[in-house]
Amino acid sequence: MKVGLPQALLHYKYYHLWETFFNELGVETVLSPASNKQILNAGVKSAPSEICLPVKIFLGHVKALKDVDKIFVPRVVSVEKGAYTCPKILGLPDIVRGTEGLPPVLAPTIDFTKGKIHFAKAIYNLGAQFSSSPLKIFKAYQAGTKALKRHELKKQEDGLSKTGGLKIGIVSHPYNIYDSFISLDLLKKIKKEDVSIQTSESLDKKIIEDETSSLPKELFWTYEKEVVGTALHWLKTGKVDGIIYLLSFACGPDSLAQVLIEDFAQQYQDVPLMSLVIDEHSAEAGLLTRLEAFLDMIKRRKKIESNHRPDGLSANYARGSVQAA
Ligand code: SF4
């Protein structure tokens, strides 16, 4: 039995969990290739034009797995009490089932709003398709959660260990940040500039939770809370020198988050923010120009702030000079 894992969307969050789970049950997993032009074109052909870029890419990945026995597309409704995933993530199994020429879909429903027993049953029913031993299924899931935890801790440590130089925070969904085809290799381009990068993963989940619970109205999309909470924390604390908010075209939740984040950036003016919207037509040259201009602006600002200023003038004197330049 070969189970296909599309290398897109929530793959960038839970891959370690599911790969370990299936392998522990003796199931061979097949990962779709890294995103490329062919995958994007295949996804664009099968998706309605108004759907967001990451879902188009996801459909391209699913099509690249047409030779496996089953494709794993969980219906992730909720991963915490009181909050949900975005409607497109929630409906992914239906979108895939409606696409012609694909193997059957394995689609357990992950819904934490229904409690732990419902979740345990979903995992058991999934595992029972490959093993008749409840103990083996339980142990496979346990091994999966340990693998995921190890991966999350490593990401957090990597982020915290970065010191010195310019610090840029990238706010986005992991599938935008780590899919180098979607992001037009943004991480590599930033690293070339000798800049250290921070993401939501380097922040304690409690910090993000505290930031979003201070909002007048609580957000009910889990992954959008991560985006907004991270941006708000960095804007308030100034722990990064600048923030890049990477969002994909036609993302409904991000269009709301963008308004919130840009509004906060007006209130906490110490940390510059640049929003970058990407779609299937985005070009590398345009991205590079904006990135270079943003980093140059931050470097100049830091230089001015670190220079000696006439007595009696505040740091805002320097900031004003940069804005006017
Ligand atoms: S959160 Fe936005 S980008 Fe992600 S799947 Fe939903 S609509 Fe698409």
Side-chain angles (χ1 to χ4, degrees), residues 21-43:
F21 176 74
F22 285 121
N23 291 167
E24 288 287 317
L25 292 175
V27 178
E28 186 184 338
T29 47
V30 179
L31 197 60
S32 59
S35 299
N36 55 42
K37 191 80 188 147
Q38 239 178 331
I39 286 183
L40 172 66
N41 288 345

Side-chain angles (χ1 to χ4, degrees), residues 133-148:
S133 161
L135 184 65
K136 194 169 174 187
I137 296 169
F138 172 72
K139 285 192 168 167
Y141 182 70
Q142 229 181 12
T145 50
K146 276 187 192 157
L148 181 63

Side-chain angles (χ1 to χ4, degrees), residues 9 52-55 86-89 173 175-176 224 248 250-254:
L9 288 176
C52 64
L53 175 65
V55 171
C86 108
K88 284 170 195 145
I89 288 182
H173 299 287
Y175 43 85
N176 289 336
E224 232 54 46
S248 27
C251 171
D254 264 353

